[in-house]
Amino acid sequence: MLLHQRQVEQYHRDGFLVMESLLDQREVERLRESFARDCEVPGPHLVVEDDSAEVRAVYASHHRQPEFAGLVRDARVLGPVQQLLTDDVYVYQFKINAKPAFGGERWAWHQDYLAWRIADGLPAPRQVNIGVFLDDVTEFNGPVIFVPGSHRGGLVRESRKADAKSEQHLDPDDISLTPRQLAEHVDRHGMTSPKGPAGSVVFFSPEIVHGSAPNMSPFARRLLIATYNDVTNLPEAPGGQRPEYVVCRDTEPLRPLSAPFLDTLRTVTA
Amino acid sequence: MLLHQRQVEQYHRDGFLVMESLLDQREVERLRESFARDCEVPGPHLVVEDDSAEVRAVYASHHRQPEFAGLVRDARVLGPVQQLLTDDVYVYQFKINAKPAFGGERWAWHQDYLAWRIADGLPAPRQVNIGVFLDDVTEFNGPVIFVPGSHRGGLVRESRKADAKSEQHLDPDDISLTPRQLAEHVDRHGMTSPKGPAGSVVFFSPEIVHGSAPNMSPFARRLLIATYNDVTNLPEAPGGQRPEYVVCRDTEPLRPLSAPFLDTLRTVTA
């Protein structure tokens, strides 16, 4: 699947592009099952809520579950990424956030690339993120909020706060924009939050300013975020690399599958 | 101004009714000025942020500022309230919430009437609330979220939590619905949040289940909330009454002004 020129321009102008219902309901169901299965695999890649055993996030499921390994190579996803970035990309980071009902605190307004430059020594913002809705996303369940076009000015701030919460852990609060910086950007560009049915996919820039509100609804909301990086832009990590489940080591260029990912799974397991 | 029968039915069915741009821009400007003036009047009615001098809420401005005294008697507001409730009403509570940029934590899901029954011994849910937008309300600046129709079943819970945060102060957390209770209501009724330009007014039931998200925007959001009560339904306050700026003592029935509130002010001050 190739994006129209108009869509490529839209991505570069706004910093994001939404493709509604790119995956169908059956595919979403299979991804949810795969996620549930992956939540049973113990390890440091599994982040649970402090006050319960509920899973808050899982990293690198594409290394353990064939559905996700297929999805990141599916031509409907990988094709647009290659068009928007370059032919030779790999998955730099993969996570699924389960924003719990009545919670999943808000994320401060930030730019992803600053985090990766600081933590991993990523030389340039040569990434494309995808957000795959595993549940319907509404205005009430903590959608990601973008400041459209805010990626075009590059990084708004250059380093983390002096009183950062932690040296190791990267908290969006530590790299968040100041109120004045955000007000300037919002005055100029406004705010928008892509919503849509489960199976929708949003492609977004590593430099777009974004945040998200808590989930006010009584139902959890699962969102898959994968970051593709240009294979010529490998992290330099002067202070040592973060764990493999956070920063993937396999930098072989991905090649698109010749069929939708569920079909290729069926072939393999038949 | 009288509501159409259709609007009255809508209020009773949904538990709320939005009238977009009921006040014009000039009136909104005057109300904002009046609010700013009222924030300079010291006293316990003024609630400031813990960590700054910023005003978070002001009570009973209609006792100090003629614009608000006029507004609560303006026929465009009082007329619909009388239609929805009864002819003889007074203002039981009046407050203006200034939800600060990047904050104004979320309110837990609750029903107002439970709070007033507990705190003030209010015999019956014979109230109508009005919410007057003093700023544009968008999905990003912490709009009130309603569960439409949720008022029709009466109170979902009957008392405050056993481990209530405080005996005196009424925190929505202490009277909030359980996750299961809210999930049942949302499954049945969904969620909706009235949005619109400054000057819009939302009329809502004291028994509608509602909450609100934090303000994710870089701009403060001012919302006026006045509660009208039936004069035959006075609080019994067995444990003693709360202060007058919280529970107004003047229970004389209000009569609608014969002209828009700014015009009557002009007459008086001319």
Side-chain angles (χ1 to χ4, degrees):
Chain A
M1 169 183 284
L2 289 184
L3 299 175
H4 300 296
Q5 186 56 27
R6 183 181 47 76
Q7 292 173 301
V8 173
E9 286 165 8
Q10 192 179 328
Y11 176 89
H12 289 300
R13 182 190 70 221
D14 296 341
F16 70 98
L17 179 73
V18 185
M19 300 190 76
E20 199 170 299
S21 300
L22 188 64
L23 308 179
D24 67 29
Q25 204 47 46
R26 193 177 52 104
E27 293 174 311
V28 170
E29 273 307 324
R30 286 291 294 277
L31 293 176
R32 289 174 180 165
E33 288 164 19
S34 180
F35 173 58
R37 211 161 54 234
D38 204 40
C39 288
E40 301 298 317
V41 181
H45 60 271
L46 200 67
V47 182
V48 295
E49 292 285 333
D50 285 343
D51 54 352
S52 72
E54 224 172 333
V55 171
R56 193 183 175 113
V58 177
Y59 282 86
S61 303
H62 68 307
H63 287 164
R64 293 177 300 275
Q65 305 297 338
E67 290 83 358
F68 293 117
L71 177 65
V72 298
R73 293 168 174 83
D74 192 292
R76 290 167 295 173
V77 170
L78 180 56
V81 169
Q82 291 176 315
Q83 255 183 297
L84 295 172
L85 190 56
T86 182
D87 272 352
D88 290 343
V89 297
Y90 72 100
V91 173
Y92 169 70
Q93 188 170 84
F94 180 110
K95 65 183 163 188
I96 299 171
N97 286 325
K99 206 168 211 178
F102 308 113
E105 289 312 313
R106 63 173 180 263
W107 296 344
W109 291 94
H110 69 284
Q111 295 172 294
D112 289 341
Y113 173 59
L114 177 58
W116 300 327
R117 195 178 71 171
I118 293 171
D120 306 322
L122 209 52
R126 300 275 306 152
Q127 297 84 41
V128 168
N129 294 302
I130 61 165
V132 181
F133 299 1
L134 298 182
D135 289 294
D136 296 350
V137 173
T138 72
E139 65 185 283
F140 304 117
N141 62 6
V144 177
I145 308 171
F146 293 120
V147 180
S150 56
H151 64 301
R152 291 203 303 267
L155 290 182
V156 178
R157 60 179 299 154
E158 290 287 320
S159 61
R160 71 167 72 190
K161 287 180 184 163
D163 60 343
K165 289 184 179 177
S166 153
E167 267 304 302
Q168 286 310 307
H169 175 63
L170 266 171
D171 192 298
D173 279 335
D174 296 338
I175 55 168
S176 65
L177 274 65
T178 64
R180 178 188 297 263
Q181 286 169 336
L182 184 63
E184 284 171 8
H185 276 75
V186 171
D187 260 339
R188 215 175 317 147
H189 305 291
M191 292 185 276
T192 189
S193 70
K195 293 172 278 286
S200 302
V201 176
V202 52
F203 298 81
F204 62 102
S205 159
E207 293 188 288
I208 193 167
V209 173
H210 62 290
S212 94
N215 180 0
M216 291 292 297
S217 86
F219 313 110
R221 190 226 58 186
R222 294 158 289 188
L223 176 69
L224 184 168
I225 297 181
T227 302
Y228 294 87
N229 185 30
D230 180 340
V231 300
T232 67
N233 184 54
L234 299 185
E236 289 162 359
Q241 288 199 306
R242 291 194 291 167
E244 182 160 8
Y245 64 88
V246 178
V247 179
C248 303
R249 302 292 193 268
D250 181 355
T251 63
E252 273 299 299
L254 297 173
R255 292 298 160 230
L257 301 176
S258 54
F261 71 97
L262 284 189
D263 296 344
T264 56
L265 287 181
R266 212 171 290 125
T267 313
V268 171
T269 59
Chain B
M1 169 182 284
L2 290 182
L3 298 175
H4 301 295
Q5 185 56 29
R6 184 182 46 77
Q7 292 173 303
V8 174
E9 286 165 7
Q10 193 179 329
Y11 176 88
H12 290 300
R13 184 190 67 220
D14 296 341
F16 71 97
L17 178 71
V18 186
M19 299 188 76
E20 199 171 299
S21 300
L22 189 63
L23 308 179
D24 66 28
Q25 203 48 44
R26 194 177 51 104
E27 293 175 310
V28 169
E29 273 307 325
R30 286 290 296 274
L31 293 175
R32 289 176 181 164
E33 287 163 19
S34 179
F35 172 59
R37 210 161 56 235
D38 204 41
C39 288
E40 301 299 318
V41 180
H45 59 270
L46 200 67
V47 183
V48 295
E49 293 284 333
D50 286 343
D51 53 351
S52 71
E54 224 172 335
V55 171
R56 192 184 176 110
V58 176
Y59 283 86
S61 304
H62 67 308
H63 287 164
R64 292 178 300 274
Q65 306 296 338
E67 290 83 357
F68 293 117
L71 177 66
V72 298
R73 291 165 175 84
D74 193 293
R76 290 168 295 174
V77 170
L78 181 55
V81 169
Q82 291 176 316
Q83 253 183 300
L84 295 172
L85 189 55
T86 183
D87 273 353
D88 290 344
V89 297
Y90 72 100
V91 173
Y92 168 71
Q93 188 170 85
F94 180 110
K95 64 183 165 190
I96 299 170
N97 286 325
K99 206 165 211 178
F102 309 111
E105 289 312 312
R106 63 173 181 261
W107 297 343
W109 291 93
H110 70 285
Q111 294 171 295
D112 288 341
Y113 173 59
L114 177 57
W116 300 327
R117 196 176 74 172
I118 293 171
D120 306 322
L122 208 52
R126 300 274 306 151
Q127 297 84 40
V128 168
N129 294 302
I130 61 163
V132 180
F133 299 180
L134 298 182
D135 290 293
D136 296 350
V137 173
T138 71
E139 65 184 286
F140 305 117
N141 61 4
V144 177
I145 309 171
F146 294 120
V147 180
S150 56
H151 64 301
R152 291 203 303 269
L155 290 182
V156 178
R157 59 178 301 155
E158 290 288 319
S159 60
R160 72 167 75 189
K161 286 181 184 163
D163 60 343
K165 289 185 179 175
S166 152
E167 268 302 302
Q168 288 309 309
H169 174 65
L170 267 170
D171 193 297
D173 278 336
D174 294 339
I175 56 168
S176 67
L177 275 67
T178 64
R180 180 189 295 261
Q181 286 168 338
L182 183 64
E184 282 171 11
H185 276 75
V186 171
D187 259 340
R188 218 176 315 146
H189 304 289
M191 292 185 276
T192 188
S193 70
K195 293 172 280 284
S200 302
V201 176
V202 52
F203 298 81
F204 61 101
S205 160
E207 294 189 289
I208 194 166
V209 173
H210 62 291
S212 93
N215 180 0
M216 291 292 296
S217 86
F219 313 109
R221 189 227 58 185
R222 293 157 289 185
L223 176 70
L224 183 168
I225 298 181
T227 302
Y228 294 87
N229 186 30
D230 181 342
V231 299
T232 67
N233 185 53
L234 300 185
E236 290 160 359
Q241 289 198 307
R242 291 193 291 167
E244 182 162 7
Y245 65 87
V246 179
V247 179
C248 304
R249 302 290 195 267
D250 181 356
T251 65
E252 274 299 300
L254 297 172
R255 294 296 160 230
L257 302 176
S258 56
F261 71 98
L262 284 190
D263 296 343
T264 58
L265 286 182
R266 213 171 288 126
T267 313
V268 171
T269 58

